[in-house]
Amino acid sequence: MANRQRIGILTAGGDCPGLNAAIRGVAKTAIVKHGMEVFGISDGFLGLINKEYIELTESRLSGILTLGGTILGTSRVKPFKKQSNGDRTISKPELIKEHYEQMGLDCLVCIGGNGTQKTANRLAKEGLNIVGIPKTIDNDVYGTEMTFGFDSAVNIATEAIDRLHSTANSHKRIIVIEVMGHNAGWIALYAGLAGGGDVILIPELEIDMDIVTNYLEERAYKNKDYSIVVVAEGVSPKRKKKSAAEYIAKMISERTGLETRETVLGYVQRGGTPSPMDRILATRYGSAAVDLIAGNDYGKMVTLRNNTIVPVPLEEIAGKLKVVTDDNPLVLKAISMGTCFGHNGSYKKNND
Ligand code: F6P
């Protein structure tokens, strides 16, 4: 076929459930609907620097929808990061451009979080045709209501909190559970609500530990025998010798004398098969991204807005972060039901 479009696809940054569903959504739409050729690039931007890729044929896509991780591999390589060792070899963006041309790509699909979309935007400015797809368990990509990976992570974290309830209850303890979320507390907020956490601590809201400890002491005084504290990993001490969970648990036990334990959930939140919602969202994003390419509409990231997939310019979202604000309807709802955020700020009126 003379004018077959050829696209490259890569997954970059931390992995998450749903990456393979997105790869499949891109590749199947490209091959079946638009008759394109698809190259899967290895290990994020590293694969473009090293020119390592495979052709994604339909047979290679079989059985990947339900798989966790990414069949392409991923890395956190940042091509625009300055070389600290005075490396005078050809620059990484130059290599990427050269290999993009050599591979005969018409467009590069970049599946990733904030860092990836920032790089994608810079590559678009360098003249490459780029389309971005937002992913991360942290749900902190600016411009979209939801990233895929988030729903699966919330399911895993909620199940962990559910399990902690029974052991905390048996021993009449406070259990502090740390979930992922370095810059944003979306997982803590959602899993905390779904799991009935008594205290939810997130990096966006300034925390007053007196409020937290008074709240826990009051619960104990009211014969509420145990408490669950959900903390996002970004709520950490200035000098990072301890995890957020250790830091908070130590403060609680020292200040209240109540028996306290901590659990760090860690990478289990990023592993395993994606939830049905993540499979669907990843598939929708992947398919919509290819429809943009078919219309030669580049330099955009697909987003979810009011349950509709909407393309937005990468320029509008690059370098920004979507965080939880103190007027978030879920925060307000939780506060109205007595959940403690350890926050002494004033809240706007709940309007949902
Ligand atoms: O995927 C996002 C995230 O889970 C963050 O919450 C966390 O800080 C980070 O990745 C850690 O990942 P890694 O150790 O792979 O850099």
Side-chain angles (χ1 to χ4, degrees):
M1 230 189 283
N3 291 326
R4 268 182 103 184
Q5 273 184 303
R6 181 181 289 172
I7 65 173
I9 173 170
L10 59 79
T11 53
D15 74 339
C16 74
L19 284 169
N20 290 319
I23 293 167
R24 177 178 173 272
V26 167
K28 286 199 94 159
T29 307
I31 297 167
V32 176
K33 183 173 174 190
H34 298 292
M36 298 173 181
E37 276 180 300
V38 185
F39 288 173
I41 294 153
S42 308
D43 305 330
F45 293 105
L46 188 63
L48 261 186
I49 292 163
N50 296 335
K51 209 175 158 201
E52 282 174 1
Y53 62 92
I54 49 161
E55 183 170 357
L56 292 178
T57 54
E58 279 192 83
S59 65
R60 277 212 156 105
L61 304 169
S62 291
I64 70 167
L65 176 63
T66 58
L67 285 184
T70 161
I71 59 163
L72 298 176
T74 187
S75 70
R76 292 197 184 272
V77 167
K78 295 184 175 71
F80 288 95
K81 203 171 171 196
K82 283 227 159 47
Q83 309 284 347
S84 52
N85 58 0
D87 190 350
R88 287 178 188 278
T89 53
I90 182 164
S91 81
K92 291 186 171 119
E94 284 304 316
L95 269 178
I96 287 179
K97 272 164 50 181
E98 198 176 304
H99 293 157
Y100 176 97
E101 295 299 335
Q102 285 173 9
M103 288 164 69
L105 296 180
D106 294 298
C107 183
L108 176 67
V109 179
C110 299
I111 308 179
N114 286 305
T116 303
Q117 303 310 332
K118 197 170 165 189
T119 301
N121 186 42
R122 291 192 69 173
L123 289 174
K125 281 189 180 157
E126 298 274 333
L128 269 53
N129 293 333
I130 303 282
V131 171
I133 298 180
K135 71 95 188 106
T136 166
I137 65 164
D138 293 342
N139 197 32
D140 59 359
V141 178
Y142 191 82
T144 187
E145 284 162 11
M146 193 77 76
T147 55
F148 69 81
F150 176 61
D151 184 65
S152 306
V154 169
N155 279 313
I156 295 162
T158 303
E159 193 198 326
I161 295 169
D162 290 349
R163 288 175 184 276
L164 292 175
H165 271 277
S166 62
T167 174
N169 192 3
S170 305
H171 288 269
K172 303 181 183 14
R173 283 173 173 161
I174 293 170
I175 296 193
V176 179
I177 173 168
E178 177 181 316
V179 297
M180 277 188 167
H182 217 78
N183 301 306
W186 294 105
I187 299 176
L189 176 62
Y190 274 67
L193 272 183
D198 305 297
V199 178
I200 299 174
L201 303 176
I202 59 175
E204 294 93 328
L205 305 183
E206 206 171 303
I207 294 159
D208 181 338
M209 277 310 284
D210 286 342
I211 294 176
V212 175
T213 50
N214 289 342
Y215 176 89
L216 292 168
E217 278 171 340
E218 205 176 308
R219 274 179 63 81
Y221 181 72
K222 285 188 205 155
N223 288 330
K224 296 202 177 229
D225 287 337
Y226 75 99
S227 295
I228 301 289
V229 177
V230 183
V231 56
E233 67 175 323
V235 178
S236 50
K238 290 267 176 303
R239 267 173 273 121
K240 286 204 74 181
K241 282 199 179 118
K242 289 186 202 122
S243 67
E246 270 178 288
Y247 166 67
I248 297 293
K250 190 160 184 278
M251 263 206 271
I252 292 171
S253 82
E254 279 175 2
R255 290 180 183 208
T256 65
L258 296 166
E259 196 180 359
T260 309
R261 295 285 189 273
E262 77 265 355
T263 296
V264 179
L265 204 50
Y267 291 92
V268 73
Q269 291 160 98
R270 283 199 343 209
T273 189
S275 69
M277 293 308 281
D278 276 340
R279 294 178 202 181
I280 291 167
L281 183 58
T283 301
R284 289 177 75 192
Y285 277 153
S287 188
V290 178
D291 287 341
L292 285 181
I293 299 168
N296 300 316
D297 193 0
Y298 306 117
K300 307 257 171 86
M301 183 184 82
V302 287
T303 68
L304 187 74
R305 295 181 179 185
N306 291 323
N307 203 25
T308 305
I309 306 289
V310 182
V312 297
L314 279 166
E315 186 66 38
E316 269 179 30
I317 55 104
K320 298 180 187 161
L321 198 68
K322 184 183 73 182
V323 294
V324 180
T325 51
D326 64 7
D327 60 350
N328 179 290
L330 289 187
V331 172
L332 295 172
K333 189 61 78 190
I335 288 169
S336 73
M337 294 169 64
T339 306
C340 173
F341 284 81
H343 182 53
N344 61 3
S346 55
Y347 297 92
K348 290 180 192 155
K349 267 183 118 187
N350 188 356
N351 55 4
D352 80 346

